Structure formats: C-alpha cells, structure tokens
Amino acid sequence: MLPLVCIFREIRRAAVHTHRKSRVTTLHQLVSTFNGVPAGLADADTIFALSSGHGRCGVAVVRVSGSASSMALRCMAGLKRRLPSPRTALLRSITDPHSKEILDRGLVLWFPGPHSFTGEDSVEFHIHGGPAVITAVLQALGSMPGMRPAEAGEFTRRAFQAGKLGLTEVEGLGDLIHAETEAQRRQALRQMSGDLERLYQGWSHRLKRCLAHVEAFIDFSEDELIEDGVLERVDSSVSTLLAEIERHLKDERRGERLRSGVHVVIAGATNAGKSSLLNTLCQRPAAIVSSIAGTTRDVVETGLDIGGFPVLLSDTAGLRDSTDLIEQEGVRRARERVQQADLTLVVVDSVLLPFEVQKAAGTLQENLTRVLPDLKQPDKDRCLLVLNKTDLLPEAQRQKLERELKGVSGLPPVCLISCQTHEGLQDFLSVLQSRVKTLCGDPLSDAPTLTQARHRAHLQQCVAALAQYQKLRDTDLALAAEGVRLALTSLGRITGKLGAEEILDIIFKDFCIGK
C-alpha cells in the first residue's frame, strides 16, 4: 500500500495534467474554431471600451483588460501562434472573429499582467478614428464570450483594486483628464505621481507605529517586557504629527480652489461698466451692454484661463434700491455671489469721482462699503477697485488719480482702465493674475496641497481623534489608543488603504515579546 504522501503527490500530478490539457484544448477552440465556441468559456470579467474619446479623429484607441484579452488579440489580429512581444506595436489586419471580414488595419499592443495599467492582461487596438470603424471593432469585441463593455471608470477602478494606484492617485488622474489650465495640469500631475499619497502614507506609517507601541504597552507592560519611555515617545510623535496635519489644513483651500477655479465676481453700481468688463476679459459679447441702468438682472458666468490659473468670472446686477421685483431678485443674487466670492472686482464709474483725491478716496470707500458692507482690513486682499471709463476723463485728471490713489491707505489696489479703448487693461490683468496666483498658490512648490473636500473632512476627523488621545492619555489609555486607531482609520479612508495586520507586524518587529 502506497504511503499517504505518495497518494497526495499522484493526485496533485493528475490534477495539474488535467488542468493543462483542458487549458490547451480551450485555447485551441477559442483561436481555431471561434464560431463554435460555447458561451461561458470566459467569466465575463474582461472589459473593453474606447479610451481615446468620442468623435472623428485620426487614430482611436480601444482598450481591453481581463483574462480574455489574449483571446481577443489572437482572434481579431489573426495571431494563431504566440502573442507579440509585450509593449511592442504590431501592424495587423483587425478582423471580425465570426465572419473573418477585415474591419480595419491598425496597430495592436499586448500588455501582460501585472505590468499593465490595470494589473491585468491588457490589449490596445490603435485603429482609424472614423465612427464606422470604431463601432465595428466594439461590436466585434462585444460578440466574443466573456467580454463586456466597461463601466465608467472601471479601468481605473481595477488599477486601484490591483494596487497599481492609490485613491489620491486615482483622483489625480481624474483631475489631469479634466485639467483646463496649466496650473491645474501641474497640480493634477503631481498628485497622480503620488506626492500626496506618499505624504499621507508617511503619516499613516507613523500612526501605525504609535498605535502598535500603545497597544503593546497596554498588553505587556505589567510583565515588564516593554522598555522605558515608550509612551513618552508616542506622546512626542502624536504631538508632532498633529501639528503637521493642522499646518497642512491651514492652506486657505488653495488646492481645492485651483482644482475648481477661483470665483471672481464683478460687482458695483448700475452703469459702472461691469458687463463691459466681463466682455472685455472673455473677448466676446457674453453679456448685454446698454446705456439703460439695470440691464443685467441675472448672474452671467464664464470660465477663463488667467495666467494658467482657472477663473470662474461672474457679472452681477447693479446694486441699487429698486421697486422692480425682478431687479430686486437680481440684486439679492448679486450680493449672494459677492459673499461666496474668492475675489471681488468693485467697478466704479471714474467720471463720477470728485477731482480732489481725498474726496475721490472717500467716494471709493463708500462704493466698497456698498458692495462689501462687512469688509475688514485683512479682507481687502480679496478685492480690487476697478475705475472704468477713464477714456472720458481729462488726461491730467486720469494721471493724477492713477498717481495719488495708489498711495491712499485703507484702500485695496486701484486699477484704472477703459473697456472702450483697453487703456490700462494689461496693468489690470497683471494685478488680477497676481491675486489669482496668490489665491491658488504654486502647485509645484513646498508640500502637496489638499485638492478634495473629502480629504479635508477626513483630516479634520484625524485631528479630532489625535486630540482625543492627548486628552485621555493619562486617565484611560485604552480609550486614548482608540483615538489613535480612529485617526489611522481616517487617513486610511483618504488613501483607501487600511490593515490591522501591519500593526501586528510592527508590534513583533519593534518589541521582543516574550524575550
């Protein structure tokens, strides 16, 4: 009678032989006699989609990812033997797997897992970008067993699930795809490259170490197996980390503002030239301009790229008392937008200013108070005074205003322009660009900034949890440790990485339990 080990060895050998034989037979059926392939040979876990965007173009890219990718490549590119070298373009005729009709002639690329974007076996078909060609190739892929159209974002989701991308990197990729300005591109690329991920992972690693040390102290301190000063080192680490996270949160929302755009609102009295300024900046007649006071009733918005930074520019109704119900609603909406603005352009008709500089400064202060009644000195960095219609002023008066108003204390920066002649426009744009850049910050300098509201919410929860540790450390160490655990969970929700096993690994690595 054979020993039990020998019996198991023979059973394993037979199973491996049967699996290999079944695999070869299945592959032969898929490649040689595709028309007769029964459904169910694949598990419908292979996805495909047009990755290059819709519309006519010179070249379109169709991406396939999943276990049946190699089958799709063999069947549609006529590869009966071995697959092409990884990441090497091969010119082939793309054929329908059923009728063998040639659909197009293009490049095919093979990306075997795990060295692919999704971590799975992947294929790309680079075909001509006509709608008929794209439709024919997608229909051919959909007719194959185990293949289905990808859902929105499913390729990136698989990359995340395979550990190819963290959550912050996934968000950076999405921002890069939607980036419209140079600064947005830089910020998104930095996040996609993992700068933010590494920052949060570094904090997570330090928190795991703190938690491991606290739990080890709780479990083993009575047996005198823990070295002295462990909790003091945890206290120091928590305090340092807490200060770093709080400093990270005090970014004045620069990253979020850069991602979504700086909200710049044009406000002021009626007939000051607000709509003319909007049209001048966006270089098109976005708003109706007339000499009739109160022409603009609703908020008119347009997106701009100012010096590489995204700006959402809003023209609003003139601020005045009115018995007209529609105009009243327009004024209410205007004031609401001013309250929400990152930067307010207070437009004033320069023709209505007194000739004397001190009186002119008083009039400008009144205009500021009318537009921004709660304006405080620090908030004056969030507004600009725009004196419009300077082409109607005598040259001597214009020069005097430009020279002397800039030295008046208590006023925000003053810009003199003419929307009619564009005089002073370049100087105004320079000031505006400088303010927008200050509000957004430089995406490539210093530490990476917060870009998502959810990051901020989880970090605030992390700060509260660490404060709980500091508060309960001397009275209830178990509850204090729970604070560290909650902080770690909050960070893990940002990156999408949570794991208790890592904490146990640190315990047994840093402490010689039972020595």
Side-chain angles (χ1 to χ4, degrees):
M1 188 173 180
L2 289 173
L4 189 59
V5 174
C6 295
I7 294 174
F8 283 146
R9 186 180 294 120
E10 291 300 322
I11 292 174
R12 182 178 180 278
R13 186 177 299 156
V16 170
H17 175 74
T18 303
H19 173 72
R20 288 176 177 171
K21 183 177 179 182
S22 173
R23 185 177 178 184
V24 172
T25 303
T26 300
L27 183 59
H28 176 75
Q29 289 175 342
L30 289 172
V31 176
S32 303
T33 57
F34 181 79
N35 289 330
V37 172
L41 283 178
D43 297 326
D45 65 340
T46 301
I47 57 175
F48 63 89
L50 176 66
S51 295
S52 55
H54 296 278
R56 289 180 175 83
C57 55
V59 177
V61 178
V62 175
R63 178 184 287 176
V64 183
S65 181
S67 58
S69 295
S70 59
M71 173 194 69
L73 180 56
R74 290 178 184 274
C75 292
M76 294 187 64
L79 300 172
K80 295 184 179 180
R81 295 184 179 179
R82 63 179 184 179
L83 294 167
S85 300
R87 294 167 293 282
T88 301
L90 185 65
L91 181 63
R92 302 291 296 180
S93 294
I94 313 298
T95 61
D96 185 288
H98 293 282
S99 66
K100 305 304 179 184
E101 176 189 359
I102 296 178
L103 305 176
D104 192 19
R105 188 165 174 79
L107 300 176
V108 296
L109 291 96
W110 165 240
F111 301 91
H115 306 296
S116 67
F117 174 71
T118 60
E120 305 172 320
D121 288 349
S122 300
V123 172
E124 286 184 3
F125 295 93
H126 293 216
I127 57 178
H128 292 96
V133 175
I134 295 172
T135 300
V137 171
L138 293 177
Q139 287 179 346
L141 287 169
S143 68
M144 301 173 68
M147 310 276 289
R148 62 172 176 83
E151 299 175 0
E154 190 168 3
F155 285 96
T156 305
R157 185 184 306 165
R158 291 190 176 198
F160 167 69
Q161 291 170 342
K164 307 291 283 189
L165 294 172
L167 272 186
T168 58
E169 293 169 308
V170 168
E171 290 166 331
L173 175 58
D175 290 346
L176 184 63
I177 292 171
H178 293 98
E180 296 181 349
T181 71
E182 184 67 12
Q184 285 179 319
R185 179 193 66 79
R186 289 173 179 167
Q187 176 172 275
L189 193 60
R190 184 177 186 184
Q191 183 172 335
M192 193 188 75
S193 66
D195 280 16
L196 205 58
E197 181 87 4
R198 284 187 288 273
L199 176 65
Y200 294 156
Q201 283 298 332
W203 288 346
S204 293
H205 179 73
R206 289 157 63 184
L207 273 180
K208 288 171 188 173
R209 186 175 296 275
C210 290
L211 182 58
H213 290 185
V214 172
E215 292 189 342
F217 184 88
I218 293 173
D219 293 337
F220 303 105
S221 61
E222 293 182 358
D223 300 327
E224 298 184 353
L225 297 173
I226 302 299
E227 59 186 89
D228 295 335
V230 169
L231 284 186
E232 286 73 16
R233 289 196 294 272
V234 171
D235 294 343
S236 176
S237 296
V238 168
S239 297
T240 302
L241 189 57
L242 186 59
E244 290 180 18
I245 297 175
E246 288 178 334
R247 188 163 55 249
H248 185 61
L249 284 168
K250 293 177 182 178
D251 65 341
E252 298 183 353
R253 301 183 182 270
R254 288 190 180 92
E256 295 165 77
R257 192 178 290 121
L258 176 56
R259 179 175 178 267
S260 59
V262 179
H263 289 258
V264 178
V265 174
I266 303 173
T270 56
N271 267 13
K274 299 183 301 299
S275 297
S276 297
L277 179 59
L278 175 77
N279 293 344
T280 300
L281 292 176
C282 67
Q283 300 180 354
R284 62 184 178 87
I288 298 174
V289 175
S290 78
S291 59
I292 302 173
T295 302
T296 302
R297 299 295 184 92
D298 208 344
V299 178
V300 180
E301 291 182 338
T302 185
L304 295 177
D305 179 345
I306 296 181
F309 294 91
V311 168
L312 183 62
L313 187 63
S314 301
D315 179 27
T316 59
L319 301 179
R320 67 174 182 178
D321 296 329
S322 175
T323 57
D324 188 311
L325 294 179
I326 297 177
E327 188 172 1
Q328 288 177 5
E329 176 61 20
V331 171
R332 187 196 68 79
R333 295 187 182 189
R335 294 195 179 281
E336 183 178 59
R337 285 305 176 94
V338 168
Q339 291 295 322
Q340 299 169 351
D342 296 314
L343 180 65
T344 304
L345 307 180
V346 180
V347 182
V348 179
D349 186 347
S350 61
V351 177
L352 303 179
L353 291 177
F355 184 78
E356 295 181 11
V357 173
Q358 290 301 322
K359 291 183 178 179
T363 302
L364 292 177
Q365 190 63 57
E366 291 174 4
N367 277 270
L368 278 174
T369 304
R370 191 178 301 114
V371 176
L372 298 163
D374 300 325
L375 183 67
K376 298 178 182 178
Q377 188 64 35
D379 297 330
K380 291 188 178 180
D381 291 336
R382 296 294 182 89
C383 66
L384 295 177
L385 271 170
V386 182
L387 309 190
N388 192 18
K389 305 183 184 180
T390 57
D391 56 300
L392 302 179
L393 293 177
E395 182 63 20
Q397 184 179 359
R398 188 192 67 78
Q399 291 181 358
K400 184 179 181 181
L401 286 173
E402 186 173 18
R403 182 176 61 254
E404 298 186 16
L405 280 178
K406 292 182 179 180
V408 176
S409 62
L411 288 180
V414 179
C415 300
L416 281 72
I417 68 167
S418 169
C419 293
Q420 187 71 27
T421 65
H422 293 179
E423 184 179 9
L425 185 61
Q426 286 303 318
D427 292 339
F428 164 67
L429 286 174
S430 297
V431 175
L432 178 59
Q433 179 180 332
S434 176
R435 286 306 172 95
V436 170
K437 183 177 181 179
T438 301
L439 289 169
C440 292
D442 186 351
L444 298 183
S445 67
D446 301 324
T449 56
L450 284 162
T451 60
Q452 303 272 349
R454 76 173 194 91
H455 297 177
R456 187 175 299 278
H458 289 315
L459 287 175
Q460 288 170 341
Q461 293 171 3
C462 180
V463 167
L466 292 179
Q468 173 183 324
Y469 168 83
Q470 292 180 325
K471 180 180 179 180
L472 300 175
R473 189 268 197 199
D474 295 327
T475 57
D476 193 328
L477 192 56
L479 282 179
E482 187 62 25
V484 179
R485 188 185 305 278
L486 290 174
L488 183 59
T489 300
S490 297
L491 280 178
R493 284 174 180 154
I494 298 177
T495 61
K497 295 179 181 178
L498 297 168
E501 290 298 322
E502 297 178 24
I503 299 172
L504 294 177
D505 291 342
I506 294 174
I507 289 179
F508 290 101
K509 178 182 177 182
D510 287 4
F511 298 93
C512 300
I513 305 299
K515 184 177 179 180

